[in-house]
């Protein structure tokens, strides 16, 4: 195979990268139109995603399909996201952070890959970590300005990589490690497809967050929506996240409320008429 994996992947994801950049949530973000509400939702989703990704990485760190890409000190985000969760959601963040349906889909795929197809972990790590070291650095500055955050980095620890001196050099190293992975043409093709799939999981996440934000601007605060308050992320819990209240309630219960009100009103009217008739 003549082309390096890193080049092949970059080429294959040009279109989907542009799709991610141009999703409404990201477009608004780049224009500085990011609210605390939206940022908190995004960070909570990323917390669940990285908790799952890094747990699967730990399980596979000695597997040669991933080992050359194991850079916990430089890259891993879970500890930083825990700091951000405490900053945004308070000391009891584990009990209150939202867990949305699209987050659940992403987490479920990460679990499947980690357990059943670890040779595809490279795809997910590439999409997130190299993205964080690229566009993520722009987003950090925008968020700090738009949300009036302290320059010390509180609330945006996720975007800060204290152990990466030069993002450009680190990305070069990372790409060369990707290129050193030994894989058959068949696996290589699956890796490329999985990178595209991982971009789509991110896009679906942004679309869902945007929908929740739009709905709740008309409606109510998303952090007050029933079902959004639910901690997730443990290995045991997230095997079927979409079947949990955390995954489904925000959209379902909200749409059922008017129906319940209608049924109650109608029952009340019928009862009133019946009493009236009886009295006559
Ligand atoms: C506001 C949105 C975004 C902006 C402005 C942005 C910007 C950029 C830029 C300028 C680069 C090139 C850096 C370089 O060549 O060294 C890059 C690379 C990259 N971005 Fe984004 N990006 C955005 C969103 C995303 C998202 C949502 C993802 C995936 C979740 C992502 C994943 C990546 C990856 C994996 C690379 C590395 C490409 C490579 O060198 O192989 N980006 N991004």
């Amino acid at each position: 195979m003549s082309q390096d994996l890193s080049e092949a992947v970059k080429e294959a994801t040009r279109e989907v990268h542009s799709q991610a950049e141009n999703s409404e949530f990201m477009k608004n973000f780049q224009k500085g139109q990011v609210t605390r509400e939206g940022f908190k939702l995004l960070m909570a989703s990323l917390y669940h995603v990285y908790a799952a990704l890094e747990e699967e990485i730990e399980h596979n760190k000695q597997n040669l399909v991933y080992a050359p890409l194991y850079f916990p000190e430089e890259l891993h985000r879970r500890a930083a996201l825990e700091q951000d969760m405490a900053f945004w959601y308070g000391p009891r963040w584990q009990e209150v952070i939202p867990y949305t349906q699209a987050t659940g889909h992403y987490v479920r795929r990460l679990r499947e890959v980690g357990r059943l197809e670890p040779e595809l972990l490279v795809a997910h790590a590439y999409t997130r970590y190299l993205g964080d070291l690229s566009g993520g650095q722009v987003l950090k500055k925008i968020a700090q300005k738009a949300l009036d955050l302290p320059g010390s980095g509180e609330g945006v620890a996720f975007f800060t990589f204290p152990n990466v001196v030069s993002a450009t050099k680190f990305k070069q190293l990372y790409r060369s490690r990707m290129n050193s992975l030994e894989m058959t043409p068949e696996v290589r093709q699956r890796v490329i497809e999985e990178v595209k799939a991982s971009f789509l999981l991110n896009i679906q996440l942004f679309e869902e967050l945007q929908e929740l934000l739009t709905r709740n601007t008309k409606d109510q605060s998303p952090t007050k929506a029933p079902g959004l308050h639910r901690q997730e992320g443990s290995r045991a819990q997230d095997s079927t996240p979409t079947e949990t209240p955390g995954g489904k309630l925000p959209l379902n219960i909200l749409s059922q409320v008017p129906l319940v009100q209608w049924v109650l009103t109608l029952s009340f009217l019928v009862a009133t008429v019946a009493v009236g008739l009886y009295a006559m």
Side-chain angles (χ1 to χ4, degrees):
M1 197 70 59
S2 59
Q3 197 183 26
D4 283 335
L5 176 67
S6 67
E7 282 170 25
V9 157
K10 188 163 186 168
E11 210 173 287
T13 54
R14 202 150 287 167
E15 201 178 314
V16 81
H17 183 276
S18 145
Q19 213 180 315
E21 268 183 287
N22 290 308
S23 63
E24 199 181 340
F25 185 85
M26 276 300 153
K27 265 203 324 222
N28 290 343
F29 203 130
Q30 290 174 84
K31 284 190 251 166
Q33 290 164 2
V34 54
T35 59
R36 281 176 180 257
E37 206 172 30
F39 191 71
K40 281 175 71 171
L41 277 174
L42 174 66
M43 300 307 277
S45 288
L46 290 178
Y47 167 75
H48 295 297
V49 165
Y50 281 87
L53 173 62
E54 291 170 5
E55 213 174 295
E56 296 311 325
I57 287 176
E58 287 300 324
H59 285 126
N60 289 288
K61 64 185 174 190
Q62 280 166 4
N63 189 331
L64 286 179
V65 298
Y66 189 80
L69 298 173
Y70 184 62
F71 288 105
E73 296 301 318
E74 292 84 351
L75 293 180
H76 285 197
R77 302 286 81 208
R78 184 178 184 158
L81 279 161
E82 284 174 356
Q83 284 176 34
D84 289 338
M85 288 300 95
F87 178 85
W88 290 107
Y89 289 92
R92 296 179 64 211
W93 62 269
Q94 281 175 309
E95 293 158 42
V96 301
I97 60 170
Y99 185 76
T100 66
Q101 205 164 31
T103 309
H105 287 148
Y106 199 162
V107 165
R108 190 160 49 181
R109 182 62 192 149
L110 290 167
R111 297 299 190 198
E112 272 171 10
V113 165
R115 292 168 198 179
L116 306 172
E117 300 176 278
E119 65 279 11
L120 303 184
L121 259 186
V122 49
H124 289 277
Y126 162 83
T127 300
R128 284 300 339 171
Y129 293 126
L130 258 56
D132 300 334
L133 288 170
S134 307
Q137 298 308 297
V138 183
L139 298 181
K140 174 185 177 180
K141 294 203 181 84
I142 296 174
Q144 279 179 312
K145 191 158 172 239
L147 305 176
D148 202 16
L149 296 173
S152 50
E154 280 163 284
V156 286
F158 166 73
F159 297 99
T160 313
F161 289 82
N163 297 324
V164 174
V165 181
S166 155
T168 307
K169 285 200 178 124
F170 189 85
K171 283 191 286 184
Q172 279 167 4
L173 168 68
Y174 198 87
R175 290 187 194 107
S176 73
R177 293 290 183 91
M178 281 171 77
N179 299 338
S180 75
L181 293 173
E182 280 191 25
M183 56 181 77
T184 63
E186 183 267 331
V187 170
R188 179 185 157 104
Q189 196 47 43
R190 278 170 49 230
V191 168
I192 293 171
E193 291 308 316
E194 191 67 20
V195 179
K196 288 196 250 174
S198 74
F199 267 86
L200 290 177
L201 286 166
N202 281 276
I203 292 168
Q204 280 157 11
L205 199 74
F206 303 148
E207 285 173 351
E208 181 197 51
L209 295 188
Q210 188 58 47
E211 197 192 322
L212 283 170
L213 290 170
T214 310
R215 182 178 304 207
N216 284 293
T217 315
K218 291 183 199 145
D219 227 44
Q220 59 177 344
S221 156
T223 50
K224 290 186 184 128
L228 269 177
H229 285 287
R230 187 170 175 278
Q231 197 280 331
E232 237 295 351
S234 83
R235 207 174 158 88
Q237 280 175 315
D238 56 28
S239 53
T240 53
T242 52
E243 285 160 26
T244 67
K248 277 189 172 161
L249 276 178
L251 305 182
N252 289 351
I253 273 203
L254 289 178
S255 61
Q256 281 166 15
V257 168
L259 184 68
V260 172
Q261 281 173 349
W262 270 109
V263 170
L264 287 175
T265 310
L266 214 60
S267 314
F268 179 72
L269 282 176
V270 169
T272 310
V273 171
V275 169
L277 287 173
Y278 184 73
M280 283 165 64

